[in-house]
Amino acid sequence: MSDADVTVEQVNAFAAAEVPFSRELGIRCEALAPDEAVVRWPFSARWTRPVDFVSGPLMMALADAALYFAVFTRGGIVPLAVTNELKTNFLRPAVGRRDLVARARILKRGRRVAFGVVDVHEDGAPDRLVAHATGSYVMPDRG
């Protein structure tokens, strides 16, 4: 078990109940550590462009979910944490008809803002990135 403030099961239960896009896309958290989350999207041709290229908006949603879940690893689930900024660089097409895996890391946490990076790769090819994202989340006021 991770020493994060939440478990994978808690994050997945929250996402299934409260994050409709995550549920609809099949995005699931696989691992957590302090300031880190690993998230999987199971390949589905439903979310591809012609010739089975995984769509850019799908990869952005996966990166956003991974960063959101990484925010939860310090202080627990924060439903009202919101994306402040997300920039995605698409490095090569995801064409292997394989699941995509995103690894998010929070690099800096302030009182209200967390900044992080996300690497997205096809399952089984962690050194062959298909996308890299940077982003920040804003935490709600505590009182």
Side-chain angles (χ1 to χ4, degrees):
M1 178 153 136
S2 139
D3 57 355
D5 286 348
V6 295
T7 66
V8 168
E9 294 77 17
Q10 290 169 322
V11 168
N12 284 329
F14 168 76
E18 303 294 334
V19 187
F21 84 87
S22 178
R23 179 180 58 242
E24 180 69 21
L25 295 172
I27 293 171
R28 295 200 38 90
C29 183
E30 289 198 329
L32 296 168
D35 291 327
E36 294 187 7
V38 177
V39 177
R40 175 179 298 269
W41 169 73
F43 178 86
S44 170
R46 178 180 181 195
W47 304 108
T48 61
R49 297 174 52 102
V51 298
D52 287 336
F53 281 26
V54 176
S55 70
L58 180 283
M59 287 190 264
M60 292 176 75
L62 180 64
D64 189 41
L67 198 54
Y68 187 42
F69 298 162
V71 164
F72 299 165
T73 66
R74 303 265 188 185
I77 293 174
V78 184
L80 295 180
V82 294
T83 308
N84 182 53
E85 173 267 336
L86 183 67
K87 179 184 185 300
T88 306
N89 293 294
F90 302 103
L91 305 175
R92 63 175 47 90
V95 297
R97 297 185 61 89
R98 292 186 277 184
D99 293 0
L100 293 184
V101 178
R103 177 177 303 275
R105 293 177 293 121
I106 302 295
L107 300 180
K108 170 79 169 108
R109 280 183 185 265
R111 229 175 7 94
R112 296 264 336 253
V113 178
F115 176 83
V117 296
V118 185
D119 289 331
V120 181
H121 62 85
E122 291 180 330
D123 189 33
D127 295 330
R128 187 175 152 80
L129 297 182
V130 296
H132 174 80
T134 60
S136 59
Y137 262 77
V138 176
M139 305 316 140
D141 284 329
R142 299 238 181 223

PDB file of all heavy atoms in Angstrom, residues 34-70:
ATOM      1  N   PRO A  34       3.141   9.459  -2.922  1.00  0.00           N
ATOM      2  CA  PRO A  34       3.084  10.896  -2.653  1.00  0.00           C
ATOM      3  C   PRO A  34       3.473  11.710  -3.893  1.00  0.00           C
ATOM      4  O   PRO A  34       4.527  11.483  -4.485  1.00  0.00           O
ATOM      5  CB  PRO A  34       4.087  11.079  -1.516  1.00  0.00           C
ATOM      6  CG  PRO A  34       4.064   9.759  -0.804  1.00  0.00           C
ATOM      7  CD  PRO A  34       3.930   8.738  -1.912  1.00  0.00           C
ATOM      8  N   ASP A  35       2.556  12.596  -4.286  1.00  0.00           N
ATOM      9  CA  ASP A  35       2.754  13.476  -5.441  1.00  0.00           C
ATOM     10  C   ASP A  35       2.822  12.749  -6.776  1.00  0.00           C
ATOM     11  O   ASP A  35       3.280  13.321  -7.768  1.00  0.00           O
ATOM     12  CB  ASP A  35       3.994  14.360  -5.265  1.00  0.00           C
ATOM     13  CG  ASP A  35       3.809  15.393  -4.175  1.00  0.00           C
ATOM     14  OD1 ASP A  35       2.673  15.865  -3.985  1.00  0.00           O
ATOM     15  OD2 ASP A  35       4.803  15.734  -3.511  1.00  0.00           O
ATOM     16  N   GLU A  36       2.333  11.525  -6.860  1.00  0.00           N
ATOM     17  CA  GLU A  36       2.354  10.771  -8.117  1.00  0.00           C
ATOM     18  C   GLU A  36       1.088   9.945  -8.283  1.00  0.00           C
ATOM     19  O   GLU A  36       0.506   9.474  -7.306  1.00  0.00           O
ATOM     20  CB  GLU A  36       3.546   9.818  -8.172  1.00  0.00           C
ATOM     21  CG  GLU A  36       4.879  10.504  -8.218  1.00  0.00           C
ATOM     22  CD  GLU A  36       6.029   9.540  -8.430  1.00  0.00           C
ATOM     23  OE1 GLU A  36       5.800   8.332  -8.670  1.00  0.00           O
ATOM     24  OE2 GLU A  36       7.178   9.996  -8.348  1.00  0.00           O
ATOM     25  N   ALA A  37       0.704   9.776  -9.550  1.00  0.00           N
ATOM     26  CA  ALA A  37      -0.406   8.887  -9.890  1.00  0.00           C
ATOM     27  C   ALA A  37      -0.115   8.249 -11.239  1.00  0.00           C
ATOM     28  O   ALA A  37       0.436   8.895 -12.135  1.00  0.00           O
ATOM     29  CB  ALA A  37      -1.723   9.647  -9.940  1.00  0.00           C
ATOM     30  N   VAL A  38      -0.497   6.978 -11.368  1.00  0.00           N
ATOM     31  CA  VAL A  38      -0.425   6.273 -12.642  1.00  0.00           C
ATOM     32  C   VAL A  38      -1.848   5.904 -13.020  1.00  0.00           C
ATOM     33  O   VAL A  38      -2.583   5.316 -12.212  1.00  0.00           O
ATOM     34  CB  VAL A  38       0.455   5.006 -12.548  1.00  0.00           C
ATOM     35  CG1 VAL A  38       0.438   4.249 -13.871  1.00  0.00           C
ATOM     36  CG2 VAL A  38       1.876   5.372 -12.143  1.00  0.00           C
ATOM     37  N   VAL A  39      -2.232   6.277 -14.243  1.00  0.00           N
ATOM     38  CA  VAL A  39      -3.606   6.132 -14.696  1.00  0.00           C
ATOM     39  C   VAL A  39      -3.610   5.417 -16.043  1.00  0.00           C
ATOM     40  O   VAL A  39      -2.717   5.633 -16.866  1.00  0.00           O
ATOM     41  CB  VAL A  39      -4.266   7.532 -14.809  1.00  0.00           C
ATOM     42  CG1 VAL A  39      -5.667   7.455 -15.343  1.00  0.00           C
ATOM     43  CG2 VAL A  39      -4.241   8.222 -13.451  1.00  0.00           C
ATOM     44  N   ARG A  40      -4.628   4.569 -16.261  1.00  0.00           N
ATOM     45  CA  ARG A  40      -4.735   3.788 -17.495  1.00  0.00           C
ATOM     46  C   ARG A  40      -6.038   4.096 -18.218  1.00  0.00           C
ATOM     47  O   ARG A  40      -7.088   4.225 -17.598  1.00  0.00           O
ATOM     48  CB  ARG A  40      -4.687   2.299 -17.176  1.00  0.00           C
ATOM     49  CG  ARG A  40      -4.901   1.389 -18.395  1.00  0.00           C
ATOM     50  CD  ARG A  40      -4.807  -0.077 -18.003  1.00  0.00           C
ATOM     51  NE  ARG A  40      -3.496  -0.383 -17.492  1.00  0.00           N
ATOM     52  CZ  ARG A  40      -2.463  -0.803 -18.220  1.00  0.00           C
ATOM     53  NH1 ARG A  40      -2.611  -0.973 -19.523  1.00  0.00           N
ATOM     54  NH2 ARG A  40      -1.299  -1.055 -17.661  1.00  0.00           N
ATOM     55  N   TRP A  41      -5.935   4.156 -19.553  1.00  0.00           N
ATOM     56  CA  TRP A  41      -7.108   4.204 -20.417  1.00  0.00           C
ATOM     57  C   TRP A  41      -7.083   2.942 -21.259  1.00  0.00           C
ATOM     58  O   TRP A  41      -6.136   2.708 -22.008  1.00  0.00           O
ATOM     59  CB  TRP A  41      -7.057   5.435 -21.329  1.00  0.00           C
ATOM     60  CG  TRP A  41      -8.096   5.384 -22.412  1.00  0.00           C
ATOM     61  CD1 TRP A  41      -9.444   5.558 -22.261  1.00  0.00           C
ATOM     62  CD2 TRP A  41      -7.875   5.112 -23.789  1.00  0.00           C
ATOM     63  NE1 TRP A  41     -10.072   5.427 -23.472  1.00  0.00           N
ATOM     64  CE2 TRP A  41      -9.127   5.151 -24.428  1.00  0.00           C
ATOM     65  CE3 TRP A  41      -6.739   4.839 -24.552  1.00  0.00           C
ATOM     66  CZ2 TRP A  41      -9.276   4.926 -25.785  1.00  0.00           C
ATOM     67  CZ3 TRP A  41      -6.887   4.617 -25.911  1.00  0.00           C
ATOM     68  CH2 TRP A  41      -8.140   4.660 -26.505  1.00  0.00           C
ATOM     69  N   PRO A  42      -8.115   2.080 -21.143  1.00  0.00           N
ATOM     70  CA  PRO A  42      -8.159   0.867 -21.959  1.00  0.00           C
ATOM     71  C   PRO A  42      -8.520   1.214 -23.402  1.00  0.00           C
ATOM     72  O   PRO A  42      -9.510   1.900 -23.649  1.00  0.00           O
ATOM     73  CB  PRO A  42      -9.248   0.025 -21.295  1.00  0.00           C
ATOM     74  CG  PRO A  42     -10.119   1.007 -20.597  1.00  0.00           C
ATOM     75  CD  PRO A  42      -9.242   2.172 -20.231  1.00  0.00           C
ATOM     76  N   PHE A  43      -7.704   0.757 -24.334  1.00  0.00           N
ATOM     77  CA  PHE A  43      -7.929   1.083 -25.741  1.00  0.00           C
ATOM     78  C   PHE A  43      -9.357   0.748 -26.150  1.00  0.00           C
ATOM     79  O   PHE A  43      -9.889  -0.306 -25.831  1.00  0.00           O
ATOM     80  CB  PHE A  43      -6.959   0.334 -26.661  1.00  0.00           C
ATOM     81  CG  PHE A  43      -7.234   0.632 -28.103  1.00  0.00           C
ATOM     82  CD1 PHE A  43      -6.672   1.746 -28.695  1.00  0.00           C
ATOM     83  CD2 PHE A  43      -8.087  -0.165 -28.847  1.00  0.00           C
ATOM     84  CE1 PHE A  43      -6.946   2.061 -30.015  1.00  0.00           C
ATOM     85  CE2 PHE A  43      -8.370   0.143 -30.167  1.00  0.00           C
ATOM     86  CZ  PHE A  43      -7.800   1.258 -30.752  1.00  0.00           C
ATOM     87  N   SER A  44      -9.953   1.679 -26.881  1.00  0.00           N
ATOM     88  CA  SER A  44     -11.266   1.475 -27.484  1.00  0.00           C
ATOM     89  C   SER A  44     -11.298   2.254 -28.780  1.00  0.00           C
ATOM     90  O   SER A  44     -11.035   3.469 -28.782  1.00  0.00           O
ATOM     91  CB  SER A  44     -12.376   1.974 -26.555  1.00  0.00           C
ATOM     92  OG  SER A  44     -13.619   1.993 -27.244  1.00  0.00           O
ATOM     93  N   ALA A  45     -11.623   1.585 -29.864  1.00  0.00           N
ATOM     94  CA  ALA A  45     -11.689   2.246 -31.163  1.00  0.00           C
ATOM     95  C   ALA A  45     -12.729   3.366 -31.162  1.00  0.00           C
ATOM     96  O   ALA A  45     -12.692   4.251 -32.012  1.00  0.00           O
ATOM     97  CB  ALA A  45     -11.997   1.228 -32.259  1.00  0.00           C
ATOM     98  N   ARG A  46     -13.620   3.343 -30.196  1.00  0.00           N
ATOM     99  CA  ARG A  46     -14.645   4.391 -30.079  1.00  0.00           C
ATOM    100  C   ARG A  46     -14.018   5.782 -29.943  1.00  0.00           C
ATOM    101  O   ARG A  46     -14.634   6.777 -30.309  1.00  0.00           O
ATOM    102  CB  ARG A  46     -15.513   4.071 -28.867  1.00  0.00           C
ATOM    103  CG  ARG A  46     -16.574   5.078 -28.588  1.00  0.00           C
ATOM    104  CD  ARG A  46     -17.369   4.651 -27.379  1.00  0.00           C
ATOM    105  NE  ARG A  46     -18.426   5.612 -27.125  1.00  0.00           N
ATOM    106  CZ  ARG A  46     -19.095   5.674 -26.012  1.00  0.00           C
ATOM    107  NH1 ARG A  46     -18.859   4.824 -25.041  1.00  0.00           N
ATOM    108  NH2 ARG A  46     -20.021   6.580 -25.857  1.00  0.00           N
ATOM    109  N   TRP A  47     -12.813   5.861 -29.386  1.00  0.00           N
ATOM    110  CA  TRP A  47     -12.183   7.151 -29.097  1.00  0.00           C
ATOM    111  C   TRP A  47     -10.990   7.440 -30.007  1.00  0.00           C
ATOM    112  O   TRP A  47     -10.066   8.150 -29.622  1.00  0.00           O
ATOM    113  CB  TRP A  47     -11.750   7.202 -27.633  1.00  0.00           C
ATOM    114  CG  TRP A  47     -12.884   6.939 -26.714  1.00  0.00           C
ATOM    115  CD1 TRP A  47     -13.088   5.816 -25.972  1.00  0.00           C
ATOM    116  CD2 TRP A  47     -14.004   7.791 -26.451  1.00  0.00           C
ATOM    117  NE1 TRP A  47     -14.255   5.909 -25.266  1.00  0.00           N
ATOM    118  CE2 TRP A  47     -14.839   7.121 -25.537  1.00  0.00           C
ATOM    119  CE3 TRP A  47     -14.383   9.055 -26.904  1.00  0.00           C
ATOM    120  CZ2 TRP A  47     -16.020   7.673 -25.070  1.00  0.00           C
ATOM    121  CZ3 TRP A  47     -15.560   9.605 -26.437  1.00  0.00           C
ATOM    122  CH2 TRP A  47     -16.356   8.920 -25.531  1.00  0.00           C
ATOM    123  N   THR A  48     -11.019   6.871 -31.215  1.00  0.00           N
ATOM    124  CA  THR A  48      -9.893   7.091 -32.127  1.00  0.00           C
ATOM    125  C   THR A  48     -10.317   7.932 -33.330  1.00  0.00           C
ATOM    126  O   THR A  48     -11.497   8.125 -33.602  1.00  0.00           O
ATOM    127  CB  THR A  48      -9.323   5.752 -32.645  1.00  0.00           C
ATOM    128  OG1 THR A  48     -10.339   5.050 -33.363  1.00  0.00           O
ATOM    129  CG2 THR A  48      -8.799   4.899 -31.503  1.00  0.00           C
ATOM    130  N   ARG A  49      -9.322   8.388 -34.031  1.00  0.00           N
ATOM    131  CA  ARG A  49      -9.502   9.069 -35.314  1.00  0.00           C
ATOM    132  C   ARG A  49      -9.366   8.007 -36.403  1.00  0.00           C
ATOM    133  O   ARG A  49      -9.102   6.846 -36.095  1.00  0.00           O
ATOM    134  CB  ARG A  49      -8.431  10.150 -35.455  1.00  0.00           C
ATOM    135  CG  ARG A  49      -8.550  11.235 -34.390  1.00  0.00           C
ATOM    136  CD  ARG A  49      -7.387  12.202 -34.458  1.00  0.00           C
ATOM    137  NE  ARG A  49      -7.190  12.740 -35.770  1.00  0.00           N
ATOM    138  CZ  ARG A  49      -7.576  13.963 -36.156  1.00  0.00           C
ATOM    139  NH1 ARG A  49      -8.154  14.764 -35.304  1.00  0.00           N
ATOM    140  NH2 ARG A  49      -7.361  14.377 -37.383  1.00  0.00           N
ATOM    141  N   PRO A  50      -9.496   8.387 -37.679  1.00  0.00           N
ATOM    142  CA  PRO A  50      -9.284   7.392 -38.740  1.00  0.00           C
ATOM    143  C   PRO A  50      -7.948   6.666 -38.571  1.00  0.00           C
ATOM    144  O   PRO A  50      -6.995   7.225 -38.039  1.00  0.00           O
ATOM    145  CB  PRO A  50      -9.305   8.239 -40.015  1.00  0.00           C
ATOM    146  CG  PRO A  50     -10.181   9.406 -39.656  1.00  0.00           C
ATOM    147  CD  PRO A  50      -9.863   9.696 -38.197  1.00  0.00           C
ATOM    148  N   VAL A  51      -7.877   5.459 -38.994  1.00  0.00           N
ATOM    149  CA  VAL A  51      -6.738   4.532 -38.887  1.00  0.00           C
ATOM    150  C   VAL A  51      -6.314   4.264 -37.443  1.00  0.00           C
ATOM    151  O   VAL A  51      -5.163   3.965 -37.177  1.00  0.00           O
ATOM    152  CB  VAL A  51      -5.521   4.945 -39.756  1.00  0.00           C
ATOM    153  CG1 VAL A  51      -5.876   4.966 -41.224  1.00  0.00           C
ATOM    154  CG2 VAL A  51      -4.907   6.266 -39.325  1.00  0.00           C
ATOM    155  N   ASP A  52      -7.260   4.344 -36.514  1.00  0.00           N
ATOM    156  CA  ASP A  52      -7.027   3.987 -35.106  1.00  0.00           C
ATOM    157  C   ASP A  52      -5.978   4.838 -34.396  1.00  0.00           C
ATOM    158  O   ASP A  52      -5.362   4.388 -33.439  1.00  0.00           O
ATOM    159  CB  ASP A  52      -6.688   2.499 -34.951  1.00  0.00           C
ATOM    160  CG  ASP A  52      -7.893   1.613 -35.144  1.00  0.00           C
ATOM    161  OD1 ASP A  52      -9.029   2.096 -34.948  1.00  0.00           O
ATOM    162  OD2 ASP A  52      -7.718   0.430 -35.488  1.00  0.00           O
ATOM    163  N   PHE A  53      -5.749   6.076 -34.838  1.00  0.00           N
ATOM    164  CA  PHE A  53      -4.929   7.004 -34.063  1.00  0.00           C
ATOM    165  C   PHE A  53      -5.763   7.430 -32.863  1.00  0.00           C
ATOM    166  O   PHE A  53      -6.897   7.881 -33.027  1.00  0.00           O
ATOM    167  CB  PHE A  53      -4.599   8.259 -34.863  1.00  0.00           C
ATOM    168  CG  PHE A  53      -3.487   8.116 -35.862  1.00  0.00           C
ATOM    169  CD1 PHE A  53      -3.171   6.903 -36.434  1.00  0.00           C
ATOM    170  CD2 PHE A  53      -2.771   9.227 -36.245  1.00  0.00           C
ATOM    171  CE1 PHE A  53      -2.156   6.790 -37.364  1.00  0.00           C
ATOM    172  CE2 PHE A  53      -1.750   9.136 -37.177  1.00  0.00           C
ATOM    173  CZ  PHE A  53      -1.445   7.911 -37.736  1.00  0.00           C
ATOM    174  N   VAL A  54      -5.229   7.314 -31.668  1.00  0.00           N
ATOM    175  CA  VAL A  54      -5.935   7.785 -30.479  1.00  0.00           C
ATOM    176  C   VAL A  54      -6.045   9.304 -30.569  1.00  0.00           C
ATOM    177  O   VAL A  54      -5.062   9.989 -30.864  1.00  0.00           O
ATOM    178  CB  VAL A  54      -5.220   7.353 -29.185  1.00  0.00           C
ATOM    179  CG1 VAL A  54      -5.917   7.925 -27.961  1.00  0.00           C
ATOM    180  CG2 VAL A  54      -5.147   5.830 -29.098  1.00  0.00           C
ATOM    181  N   SER A  55      -7.223   9.820 -30.305  1.00  0.00           N
ATOM    182  CA  SER A  55      -7.460  11.256 -30.475  1.00  0.00           C
ATOM    183  C   SER A  55      -6.710  12.083 -29.433  1.00  0.00           C
ATOM    184  O   SER A  55      -6.501  11.654 -28.297  1.00  0.00           O
ATOM    185  CB  SER A  55      -8.953  11.568 -30.402  1.00  0.00           C
ATOM    186  OG  SER A  55      -9.426  11.395 -29.086  1.00  0.00           O
ATOM    187  N   GLY A  56      -6.340  13.292 -29.834  1.00  0.00           N
ATOM    188  CA  GLY A  56      -5.674  14.224 -28.932  1.00  0.00           C
ATOM    189  C   GLY A  56      -6.517  14.571 -27.716  1.00  0.00           C
ATOM    190  O   GLY A  56      -6.006  14.577 -26.588  1.00  0.00           O
ATOM    191  N   PRO A  57      -7.821  14.867 -27.893  1.00  0.00           N
ATOM    192  CA  PRO A  57      -8.641  15.178 -26.725  1.00  0.00           C
ATOM    193  C   PRO A  57      -8.677  14.033 -25.703  1.00  0.00           C
ATOM    194  O   PRO A  57      -8.716  14.285 -24.499  1.00  0.00           O
ATOM    195  CB  PRO A  57     -10.026  15.441 -27.319  1.00  0.00           C
ATOM    196  CG  PRO A  57      -9.732  15.946 -28.695  1.00  0.00           C
ATOM    197  CD  PRO A  57      -8.536  15.141 -29.146  1.00  0.00           C
ATOM    198  N   LEU A  58      -8.617  12.785 -26.174  1.00  0.00           N
ATOM    199  CA  LEU A  58      -8.584  11.650 -25.239  1.00  0.00           C
ATOM    200  C   LEU A  58      -7.290  11.680 -24.440  1.00  0.00           C
ATOM    201  O   LEU A  58      -7.300  11.518 -23.214  1.00  0.00           O
ATOM    202  CB  LEU A  58      -8.726  10.331 -26.018  1.00  0.00           C
ATOM    203  CG  LEU A  58      -8.724   9.045 -25.199  1.00  0.00           C
ATOM    204  CD1 LEU A  58      -7.442   8.554 -24.699  1.00  0.00           C
ATOM    205  CD2 LEU A  58      -9.857   8.972 -24.258  1.00  0.00           C
ATOM    206  N   MET A  59      -6.160  11.920 -25.109  1.00  0.00           N
ATOM    207  CA  MET A  59      -4.879  11.960 -24.394  1.00  0.00           C
ATOM    208  C   MET A  59      -4.842  13.119 -23.404  1.00  0.00           C
ATOM    209  O   MET A  59      -4.292  12.993 -22.312  1.00  0.00           O
ATOM    210  CB  MET A  59      -3.719  12.035 -25.380  1.00  0.00           C
ATOM    211  CG  MET A  59      -3.485  10.727 -26.109  1.00  0.00           C
ATOM    212  SD  MET A  59      -1.961  10.736 -27.055  1.00  0.00           S
ATOM    213  CE  MET A  59      -2.584  11.190 -28.657  1.00  0.00           C
ATOM    214  N   MET A  60      -5.458  14.246 -23.759  1.00  0.00           N
ATOM    215  CA  MET A  60      -5.514  15.381 -22.835  1.00  0.00           C
ATOM    216  C   MET A  60      -6.375  15.044 -21.619  1.00  0.00           C
ATOM    217  O   MET A  60      -6.020  15.386 -20.489  1.00  0.00           O
ATOM    218  CB  MET A  60      -6.049  16.615 -23.556  1.00  0.00           C
ATOM    219  CG  MET A  60      -5.083  17.145 -24.600  1.00  0.00           C
ATOM    220  SD  MET A  60      -5.738  18.533 -25.542  1.00  0.00           S
ATOM    221  CE  MET A  60      -5.593  19.830 -24.320  1.00  0.00           C
ATOM    222  N   ALA A  61      -7.492  14.371 -21.832  1.00  0.00           N
ATOM    223  CA  ALA A  61      -8.354  13.968 -20.716  1.00  0.00           C
ATOM    224  C   ALA A  61      -7.608  13.010 -19.790  1.00  0.00           C
ATOM    225  O   ALA A  61      -7.709  13.105 -18.561  1.00  0.00           O
ATOM    226  CB  ALA A  61      -9.644  13.332 -21.232  1.00  0.00           C
ATOM    227  N   LEU A  62      -6.862  12.083 -20.365  1.00  0.00           N
ATOM    228  CA  LEU A  62      -6.086  11.138 -19.563  1.00  0.00           C
ATOM    229  C   LEU A  62      -5.031  11.867 -18.732  1.00  0.00           C
ATOM    230  O   LEU A  62      -4.879  11.607 -17.528  1.00  0.00           O
ATOM    231  CB  LEU A  62      -5.426  10.106 -20.472  1.00  0.00           C
ATOM    232  CG  LEU A  62      -4.585   9.036 -19.794  1.00  0.00           C
ATOM    233  CD1 LEU A  62      -5.434   8.157 -18.885  1.00  0.00           C
ATOM    234  CD2 LEU A  62      -3.872   8.189 -20.847  1.00  0.00           C
ATOM    235  N   ALA A  63      -4.318  12.804 -19.349  1.00  0.00           N
ATOM    236  CA  ALA A  63      -3.305  13.578 -18.623  1.00  0.00           C
ATOM    237  C   ALA A  63      -3.945  14.407 -17.515  1.00  0.00           C
ATOM    238  O   ALA A  63      -3.432  14.469 -16.388  1.00  0.00           O
ATOM    239  CB  ALA A  63      -2.536  14.482 -19.591  1.00  0.00           C
ATOM    240  N   ASP A  64      -5.076  15.024 -17.802  1.00  0.00           N
ATOM    241  CA  ASP A  64      -5.769  15.844 -16.808  1.00  0.00           C
ATOM    242  C   ASP A  64      -6.215  14.992 -15.620  1.00  0.00           C
ATOM    243  O   ASP A  64      -6.031  15.371 -14.466  1.00  0.00           O
ATOM    244  CB  ASP A  64      -6.961  16.543 -17.459  1.00  0.00           C
ATOM    245  CG  ASP A  64      -7.605  17.575 -16.560  1.00  0.00           C
ATOM    246  OD1 ASP A  64      -6.888  18.316 -15.865  1.00  0.00           O
ATOM    247  OD2 ASP A  64      -8.844  17.650 -16.560  1.00  0.00           O
ATOM    248  N   ALA A  65      -6.784  13.823 -15.891  1.00  0.00           N
ATOM    249  CA  ALA A  65      -7.222  12.929 -14.810  1.00  0.00           C
ATOM    250  C   ALA A  65      -6.026  12.486 -13.969  1.00  0.00           C
ATOM    251  O   ALA A  65      -6.101  12.442 -12.740  1.00  0.00           O
ATOM    252  CB  ALA A  65      -7.956  11.723 -15.385  1.00  0.00           C
ATOM    253  N   ALA A  66      -4.917  12.162 -14.609  1.00  0.00           N
ATOM    254  CA  ALA A  66      -3.730  11.717 -13.871  1.00  0.00           C
ATOM    255  C   ALA A  66      -3.228  12.813 -12.933  1.00  0.00           C
ATOM    256  O   ALA A  66      -2.898  12.546 -11.769  1.00  0.00           O
ATOM    257  CB  ALA A  66      -2.634  11.293 -14.845  1.00  0.00           C
ATOM    258  N   LEU A  67      -3.200  14.040 -13.419  1.00  0.00           N
ATOM    259  CA  LEU A  67      -2.746  15.150 -12.588  1.00  0.00           C
ATOM    260  C   LEU A  67      -3.720  15.394 -11.434  1.00  0.00           C
ATOM    261  O   LEU A  67      -3.306  15.620 -10.292  1.00  0.00           O
ATOM    262  CB  LEU A  67      -2.580  16.403 -13.446  1.00  0.00           C
ATOM    263  CG  LEU A  67      -1.735  17.526 -12.886  1.00  0.00           C
ATOM    264  CD1 LEU A  67      -0.354  17.056 -12.467  1.00  0.00           C
ATOM    265  CD2 LEU A  67      -1.621  18.636 -13.928  1.00  0.00           C
ATOM    266  N   TYR A  68      -5.014  15.345 -11.725  1.00  0.00           N
ATOM    267  CA  TYR A  68      -6.052  15.499 -10.701  1.00  0.00           C
ATOM    268  C   TYR A  68      -5.868  14.462  -9.590  1.00  0.00           C
ATOM    269  O   TYR A  68      -5.866  14.787  -8.404  1.00  0.00           O
ATOM    270  CB  TYR A  68      -7.405  15.349 -11.378  1.00  0.00           C
ATOM    271  CG  TYR A  68      -8.644  15.621 -10.571  1.00  0.00           C
ATOM    272  CD1 TYR A  68      -8.755  16.684  -9.694  1.00  0.00           C
ATOM    273  CD2 TYR A  68      -9.764  14.816 -10.755  1.00  0.00           C
ATOM    274  CE1 TYR A  68      -9.941  16.945  -8.999  1.00  0.00           C
ATOM    275  CE2 TYR A  68     -10.948  15.068 -10.071  1.00  0.00           C
ATOM    276  CZ  TYR A  68     -11.032  16.121  -9.193  1.00  0.00           C
ATOM    277  OH  TYR A  68     -12.203  16.371  -8.520  1.00  0.00           O
ATOM    278  N   PHE A  69      -5.671  13.205  -9.972  1.00  0.00           N
ATOM    279  CA  PHE A  69      -5.505  12.142  -8.978  1.00  0.00           C
ATOM    280  C   PHE A  69      -4.209  12.311  -8.190  1.00  0.00           C
ATOM    281  O   PHE A  69      -4.162  12.019  -6.990  1.00  0.00           O
ATOM    282  CB  PHE A  69      -5.555  10.763  -9.633  1.00  0.00           C
ATOM    283  CG  PHE A  69      -6.857  10.444 -10.322  1.00  0.00           C
ATOM    284  CD1 PHE A  69      -6.923   9.428 -11.261  1.00  0.00           C
ATOM    285  CD2 PHE A  69      -8.031  11.147 -10.052  1.00  0.00           C
ATOM    286  CE1 PHE A  69      -8.113   9.110 -11.902  1.00  0.00           C
ATOM    287  CE2 PHE A  69      -9.231  10.846 -10.692  1.00  0.00           C
ATOM    288  CZ  PHE A  69      -9.268   9.824 -11.626  1.00  0.00           C
ATOM    289  N   ALA A  70      -3.156  12.801  -8.827  1.00  0.00           N
ATOM    290  CA  ALA A  70      -1.894  13.040  -8.111  1.00  0.00           C
ATOM    291  C   ALA A  70      -2.077  14.111  -7.040  1.00  0.00           C
ATOM    292  O   ALA A  70      -1.471  14.032  -5.966  1.00  0.00           O
ATOM    293  CB  ALA A  70      -0.787  13.437  -9.087  1.00  0.00           C
TER     294      ALA A  70
END
